[in-house]
Amino acid sequence: MNHLGDVKLRTWTLRFMALLAADTQDQLAWLGERELETEDVAEEVELLCRISEGLTERGAFDPTDLHHLRAIGRRLGEIDAACRVGLWANALATDPAWDDIRSLSRTFLLANLGDWRQPLPRPVRPETGDG
């Protein structure tokens, strides 16, 4: 791993996987009052899974890690468009696909870091429009 950008992308991937691996109650607490769309979460995960190919080629992840990330991407790809509409908080409570993604994310973190329990990323503050 020789690119500063690779380090940042690896770190972001690990942090986002920590969020996906967290218990539902912790995910909902992390969300707080934020109205994060399911489609936005799905797109972020899909992006991270896609860039993991290049990160693995450059040594930021092991091939085993890539295998786990591909499994997460495949499971996410099985969620139909109708289930991607609406708030992620609602999807966490109603769509069993997120339980599968939670389990796959935990497996990834166990293989990569030795424990799936990791600090959650700091939430991005919602824009207030007070620019």
Side-chain angles (χ1 to χ4, degrees):
M1 184 168 29
N2 55 5
H3 299 92
L4 183 58
D6 287 355
V7 173
K8 288 182 179 182
L9 289 171
R10 181 181 190 281
T11 299
W12 178 240
T13 300
L14 293 170
R15 287 183 179 157
F16 209 86
M17 290 300 136
L19 177 60
L20 294 176
D23 291 326
T24 305
Q25 303 90 323
D26 294 331
Q27 291 169 327
L28 293 172
W30 181 87
L31 282 167
E33 297 297 316
R34 282 175 219 78
E35 294 185 347
L36 186 58
E37 294 290 325
T38 304
E39 181 63 23
D40 294 339
V41 174
E43 287 176 359
E44 189 71 24
V45 176
E46 288 171 338
L47 174 63
L48 292 173
C49 290
R50 279 194 311 271
I51 64 170
S52 65
E53 301 274 341
L55 291 172
T56 301
E57 289 172 6
R58 293 187 299 276
F61 287 118
D62 291 333
T64 302
D65 300 326
L66 181 59
H67 170 77
H68 294 300
L69 289 165
R70 284 178 176 161
I72 293 166
R74 275 191 307 275
R75 183 60 185 108
L76 186 64
E78 294 170 357
I79 299 174
D80 68 36
C83 292
R84 290 180 179 223
V85 174
L87 298 177
W88 190 43
N90 295 337
L92 287 170
T94 61
D95 189 344
W98 292 102
D99 293 332
D100 296 341
I101 292 168
R102 180 177 301 106
S103 177
L104 292 166
S105 299
R106 288 177 179 183
T107 300
F108 167 79
L109 290 170
L110 281 169
N112 200 285
L113 301 175
D115 191 356
W116 66 266
R117 292 171 195 86
Q118 301 295 319
L120 299 183
R122 285 183 296 206
V124 176
R125 296 194 195 289
E127 293 194 30
T128 61
D130 295 339

